[in-house]
Amino acid sequence: NESESSYEWVQATPGDLNIATAVLYEAVDGPRRGVIYDAFEPVDHYWVEDEETCEVVRTEEGDCHDFHSADLKVAKTVVEFSTELAQGATELQSAGVLLIGTEPQ
């Protein structure tokens, strides 16, 4: 494998958050993973389903907790290329195109 992929958690923006997007959110007992259960992007409110319990995160009163994009983090892929791969590409491949037609150009 010439490159290795990993993930880092970064601050979410409303455009990042769709239904089933993996997120990290803060709970009383620390950061927890979940997925977006429902998205209300125009008002920047999101409901999250906890990964362990498979239940929507709720307030102490039992209502669905309204998360804002600022409350959530999303996983972004980080790709690290080896130095051999970066230095080994000294010869580039090329291609040509030949167009044949009957109209004068």
Side-chain angles (χ1 to χ4, degrees):
N1 201 355
E2 295 178 340
S3 66
E4 189 174 311
S5 294
S6 61
Y7 298 92
E8 69 178 352
W9 294 98
V10 297
Q11 183 62 55
T13 61
D16 295 331
L17 301 170
N18 300 306
I19 293 174
T21 300
V23 294
L24 194 67
Y25 69 95
E26 283 294 326
V28 175
D29 57 347
R32 295 185 59 91
R33 289 176 48 141
V35 295
I36 298 295
Y37 178 80
D38 212 345
F40 310 98
E41 188 175 344
V43 291
D44 192 33
H45 283 209
Y46 303 90
W47 292 350
V48 174
E49 180 181 293
D50 185 81
E51 184 179 71
E52 282 186 28
T53 65
C54 297
E55 293 181 6
V56 174
V57 179
R58 298 193 176 273
T59 63
E60 290 181 9
E61 294 80 28
D63 299 323
C64 289
H65 185 287
D66 288 326
F67 288 94
H68 298 278
S69 58
D71 303 327
L72 303 169
K73 293 187 177 183
V74 293
K76 295 286 183 179
T77 304
V78 176
V79 178
E80 295 180 21
F81 292 100
S82 69
T83 31
E84 289 177 11
L85 179 63
Q87 293 173 353
T90 56
E91 188 176 318
L92 300 176
Q93 294 184 358
S94 62
V97 177
L98 174 63
L99 298 175
I100 301 175
T102 58
E103 285 194 36
Q105 298 295 320

